[in-house]
Amino acid sequence: MTAIAASLTRAHQEEWARVVAGLARRFGDLDIAEDAAAEAFEMAVRRWPTDGVPPNPGGWLATTARRKALDRLRRESHRGAKEGAADMLSDDEPAETVGAVEDDRLRLVFICCHPALAMPARVALTLRMLGGLTVAEIARAFLVPEATMAQRITRAKAKIRAANIAYRVPSADDVRARVAGVLTVLFLIFNEGYLSGGTDDPLRPALTGEAIRLGRVLHALLPDDGEVTGLLALMILTEARRGARLSRSGELVTLTEQDRGAWDRALVGEGHALVRECLVAVAAGGPAPGRYQLLAAMGAVHTAAPTAGDTDWAQILALYDRLVVVDPSPIVRLNRAVAVAELDGAQPALAELDRLNADLADYHAFHAARADLLRRLGRSADARAAYERALHLTENTAERAHLRRRRDQLG
């Protein structure tokens, strides 16, 4: 990749959300914000190879996008009122009152998570508008076909227009009502960054960093919400392991094989402190821990173990038993089966996995986990077939390298 191409990729990963969110605040229209941002990035692709990367890429993109938005408004004579309002906006204006949420990008998350939209539509729209994920990436996150996801996003925008939903500043009550959808959004953005579904970058630290940054803002806004604290802890504890996630050859390194000396101990300490914060709140009579707090507790157990062999799998399984009650999804039951294998052996874990085949037949991690259990049971031919199925279902280069190596090690 050339230096210019790398700068363009980095700018898209780091600046898309900021540009779209700023335009949405200024113009109050998501279509205008998205289209103008896309035009600005398209212009950067044309101009930067010739003119060079500007000293402030984010500022260049924001200014270009704002001009594109104004040009569009001027072309649409029936939107003259919006044009007049837009012309009055300038960078040297005093900051406007922003209500309960002061960060542009976080405000946009709450605005997209409007209760008039179904939860899947809220999440998908926010991932597209603020996370900068492509429709294909969002479809992988939801385990649905790309065409289905494209329709979902289009219908969400159409519903917003038809219902004349204003992109107003969310109030404190709005924040409380929409927080569950916001947490789902942040977690999916983080997951796409931590193990990308695409072929270019196995890990996308700009996405994980953005999810954590927004999580910190949300935690400051809602410090007493246990699930907000739990999600932030979960993301931080997961991010702490990123430095050990890839081998020098670019292959995915599983948790049990990672060099724990390469983990970010400052992040581990921060994540543990947040988990303790959740435990103290529950012990003081607060609500029972939800999905994110339970997952964060598992992350704390993993990162507290000096070696993989020291992992307290009994505690992990007990936490999964509680999580299944809160979230009985097939993926949770898949991960629980992995814990069962560590305690009770591969055979009972495989029996649990096989009951999930109908739900997870197109999920690569299901076949990868099943292949590992079959390998441990000495069923090499079946394990090879499962590895092949997992390879067929993932495009992540690091994950593919790992799966190929495990397949090729079979007798």
Side-chain angles (χ1 to χ4, degrees):
M1 180 181 291
T2 66
I4 295 293
S7 295
L8 286 164
T9 298
R10 185 168 55 252
H12 186 270
Q13 292 176 347
E14 296 176 356
E15 303 296 341
W16 171 268
R18 184 176 290 108
V19 171
V20 171
L23 292 171
R25 173 174 58 81
R26 288 175 180 274
F27 298 103
D29 188 303
L30 272 190
D31 280 330
I32 289 176
E34 182 182 11
D35 292 346
E39 289 181 27
F41 279 97
E42 289 171 5
M43 181 170 284
V45 171
R46 295 195 304 270
R47 295 277 296 276
W48 290 8
T50 302
D51 300 345
V53 179
N56 180 3
W60 187 96
L61 289 164
T63 299
T64 302
R66 186 170 62 252
R67 289 172 179 165
K68 293 291 184 182
L70 288 169
D71 288 344
R72 172 175 169 171
L73 289 173
R74 293 186 181 106
R75 289 194 301 268
E76 298 177 8
S77 59
H78 66 283
R79 301 181 75 167
K82 280 193 174 181
E83 175 186 343
D87 277 326
M88 294 172 63
L89 293 168
S90 62
D91 288 336
D92 57 0
E93 276 193 330
E96 65 170 310
T97 300
V98 294
V101 182
E102 297 182 3
D103 182 89
D104 269 351
R105 286 164 288 186
L106 190 58
R107 289 172 69 207
L108 183 56
V109 174
F110 276 102
I111 290 167
C112 287
C113 291
H114 195 282
L117 301 175
M119 181 63 76
R122 299 182 211 176
V123 175
L125 184 61
T126 309
L127 285 170
R128 176 70 194 115
M129 298 302 303
L130 192 131
L133 276 65
T134 65
V135 174
E137 290 169 336
I138 302 169
R140 281 192 291 270
F142 276 100
L143 305 179
V144 299
E146 185 175 345
T148 300
M149 184 53 61
Q151 290 178 350
R152 187 174 295 174
I153 293 172
T154 299
R155 288 170 182 166
K157 288 183 177 180
K159 184 168 185 177
I160 286 173
R161 286 192 297 270
N164 196 28
I165 295 172
Y167 285 90
R168 62 179 178 81
V169 175
S171 67
D173 289 340
D174 291 331
V175 169
R176 294 284 180 183
R178 303 181 199 178
V179 69
V182 171
L183 293 178
T184 303
V185 167
L186 295 186
F187 193 38
L188 285 172
I189 293 174
F190 180 86
N191 282 341
E192 177 60 29
Y194 194 68
L195 187 61
S196 174
T199 58
D200 296 332
D201 299 311
L203 309 181
R204 298 175 65 183
L207 283 180
T208 57
E210 178 67 6
I212 290 173
R213 191 194 71 79
L214 291 171
R216 293 187 195 281
V217 174
L218 189 59
H219 181 246
L221 183 68
L222 300 172
D224 298 327
D225 190 306
E227 283 295 88
V228 170
T229 306
L231 177 60
L232 179 58
L234 172 61
M235 293 191 296
I236 287 174
L237 288 170
T238 308
E239 179 72 358
R241 305 196 302 264
R242 179 165 56 85
R245 199 74 192 282
L246 296 182
S247 69
R248 291 183 179 179
S249 63
E251 178 184 332
L252 178 71
V253 181
T254 61
L255 177 60
T256 57
E257 298 174 323
Q258 286 175 14
D259 173 11
R260 299 185 177 220
W263 290 356
D264 187 324
R265 287 297 163 184
L267 287 180
V268 170
E270 182 182 0
H272 282 199
L274 289 166
V275 171
R276 287 194 296 272
E277 189 178 311
C278 293
L279 292 173
V280 169
V282 172
R291 177 190 183 208
Y292 297 114
Q293 293 175 78
L294 292 169
L295 288 171
M298 293 179 209
V301 174
H302 281 300
T303 51
T307 68
D310 294 318
T311 303
D312 187 346
W313 283 105
Q315 188 174 359
I316 294 288
L317 184 57
L319 288 166
Y320 268 120
D321 287 340
R322 296 182 67 179
L323 182 59
V324 166
V325 175
V326 175
D327 178 13
S329 68
I331 292 178
V332 168
R333 286 183 283 153
L334 161 65
N335 292 327
R336 182 187 178 279
V338 173
V340 168
E342 296 298 327
L343 281 176
D344 301 328
Q347 189 62 57
L350 182 62
E352 291 200 18
L353 279 191
D354 285 344
R355 287 194 287 268
L356 301 174
N357 184 67
D359 294 314
L360 298 177
D362 294 326
Y363 184 43
H364 74 278
F366 165 76
H367 295 282
R370 191 168 180 275
D372 184 60
L373 295 177
L374 291 165
R375 176 185 57 80
R376 291 164 64 175
L377 291 169
R379 295 169 55 181
S380 296
D382 292 335
R384 182 179 297 278
Y387 280 126
E388 292 288 358
R389 181 61 177 158
L391 280 164
H392 176 72
L393 292 170
T394 183
E395 297 180 359
N396 185 282
T397 54
E399 202 162 21
R400 289 179 63 82
H402 168 73
L403 291 169
R404 280 196 299 266
R405 180 173 64 83
R406 299 302 289 263
R407 178 200 62 190
D408 295 344
Q409 288 174 341
L410 294 170

